[in-house]
Amino acid sequence: MNTTLTAAQREELKALLLAARRSLESQMQQNRENLAPPAADQDGIEQGNVVREVDQALTNIDAADVKRIDHALEAMEDGSYGLCAECGCAIPFERLKIEPQTQHCVACKSRWEQGKGHAKTHA
Ligand SMILES: [Zn+2]
């Protein structure tokens, strides 16, 4: 298991992952504060619930992102970071720099997106 990344590049990506994780965590913290029961009277309750559902959805997305980042950091520890989970090729540094938590090379990702009915976008 070898990637084409140099130690310096890996360090740079690790810093990016940690920074992304921190900002997600503060975002989640903020969402959780928004989730606190509204101090509204009877009339405000319905509206409060709608806002809460939206915030809950946002929090779920953030949690999934944190998981992906954690997975990438773990992969960095065991040396599998930067390798495509699908075809095993080395993901270029340029791509990792834009999306450091990615686990797929461009070819596999676009194939995957096409398989999910991506073509419908222009319908
Ligand atoms: Zn691949």
Side-chain angles (χ1 to χ4, degrees):
M1 280 217 185
N2 250 321
T3 69
T4 55
L5 297 174
T6 65
Q9 285 175 330
R10 239 203 314 270
E11 278 307 305
E12 191 179 337
L13 293 168
K14 193 173 181 176
L16 283 174
L17 283 167
L18 291 172
R21 201 180 191 289
R22 262 197 305 274
S23 82
L24 275 174
E25 269 172 353
S26 69
Q27 223 178 312
M28 282 167 81
Q29 180 62 37
Q30 224 160 34
N31 284 341
R32 266 195 294 270
E33 277 161 20
N34 291 340
L35 285 175
D41 57 11
Q42 211 79 37
D43 294 335
I45 282 176
E46 205 175 313
Q47 204 180 0
N49 280 344
V50 173
V51 173
R52 257 214 294 244
E53 272 167 31
V54 172
D55 281 339
Q56 188 63 57
L58 285 173
T59 306
N60 288 342
I61 291 166
D62 289 345
D65 278 345
V66 168
K67 242 184 207 161
R68 258 153 49 103
I69 290 170
D70 278 347
H71 192 275
L73 287 167
E74 274 170 33
M76 226 171 233
E77 293 303 315
D78 69 25
S80 64
Y81 179 75
L83 295 174
C84 177
E86 191 73 30
C87 68
C89 74
I91 302 169
F93 176 64
E94 285 69 30
R95 167 155 168 72
L96 291 169
K97 221 174 147 179
I98 296 163
E99 212 185 330
Q101 71 272 36
T102 191
Q103 289 165 34
H104 296 97
C105 69
V106 177
C108 286
K109 200 185 175 188
S110 61
R111 203 162 50 225
W112 188 52
E113 278 173 357
Q114 272 163 18
K116 282 201 308 186
H118 195 64
K120 277 185 188 167
T121 312
H122 297 291

